[in-house]
């Protein structure tokens, strides 16, 4: 955990989180330490802009079977005052369901927890909602 904390602190410093760095680090550690997420932190978003990205999987249960949903969750330097951006990242043998209610064709995730974001919410809240919503209606198929 000390290594993860150090890595997160370095990414947040490089990405310009400033006074938001501690909150971003703590929220990321809580999500990564949960049984719902297996991911690695990295610097930058899909366009190379300053951000903390968590790339890996979120566990979901569909019809009694556990699946690992490939995701990328991006925290902007303004986090927690700006919401994270969440993407489904299908593996080569997966496809995004056409016209999924919460995921567009590019893998962008749309959920109320993101649209109704406030600084009182946490990254873990987002991971939990992703797991529950996509457990009920998976956005990918093989």
């Amino acid at each position: 955990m000390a290594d993860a904390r150090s890595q997160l602190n370095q990414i947040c410093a490089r990405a310009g989180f400033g006074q938001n760095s501690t909150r971003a680090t703590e929220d990321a550690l809580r999500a990564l330490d949960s049984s719902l997420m297996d991911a690695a932190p990295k610097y930058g978003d899909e366009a190379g802009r300053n951000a903390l990205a968590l790339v890996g999987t979120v566990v979901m249960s569909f019809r009694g079977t556990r699946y690992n949903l490939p995701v990328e969750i991006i925290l902007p330097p303004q986090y927690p005052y700006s919401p994270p951006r969440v993407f489904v990242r299908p593996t080569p043998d997966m496809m995004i369901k056409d016209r999924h209610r919460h995921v567009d064709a590019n893998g962008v995730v749309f959920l109320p927890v993101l649209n109704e974001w406030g600084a009182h919410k946490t990254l873990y809240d987002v991971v939990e909602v992703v797991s529950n919503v996509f457990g009920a209606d998976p956005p990918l198929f093989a």
Side-chain angles (χ1 to χ4, degrees):
M1 178 94 93
D3 288 340
R5 181 181 302 279
S6 175
Q7 184 179 16
L8 288 164
N9 283 333
Q10 289 174 4
I11 293 169
C12 287
R14 181 176 173 202
F17 277 72
Q19 66 185 27
N20 301 328
S21 182
T22 300
R23 169 70 188 273
T25 296
E26 293 304 319
D27 281 7
L29 284 171
R30 181 171 179 225
L32 293 170
D33 196 38
S34 79
S35 61
L36 294 177
M37 186 169 207
D38 182 20
K42 72 173 193 133
Y43 168 79
D45 67 7
E46 67 282 2
R49 294 177 296 238
N50 287 342
L52 165 61
L54 301 177
V55 181
T57 59
V58 169
V59 174
M60 58 176 239
S61 180
F62 179 67
R63 297 183 180 162
T65 302
R66 289 173 55 106
Y67 295 94
N68 294 312
L69 180 72
V71 297
E72 182 173 8
I73 301 177
I74 298 170
L75 280 63
Q78 301 80 17
Y79 180 89
Y81 303 102
S82 293
R85 293 188 318 269
V86 181
F87 300 87
V88 172
R89 300 291 193 211
T91 61
D93 60 334
M94 296 177 171
M95 293 185 63
I96 297 172
K97 285 183 182 175
D98 191 34
R99 295 188 199 113
H100 190 275
R101 180 176 176 187
H102 298 290
V103 181
D104 74 11
N106 297 315
V108 178
V109 173
F110 301 93
L111 290 168
V113 70
L114 301 171
N115 294 335
E116 301 160 4
W117 186 258
H120 64 284
K121 295 187 179 171
T122 68
L123 180 58
Y124 180 80
D125 296 334
V126 172
V127 170
E128 191 173 44
V129 169
V130 166
S131 176
N132 290 333
V133 168
F134 293 153
D137 183 15
L140 300 175
F141 65 94

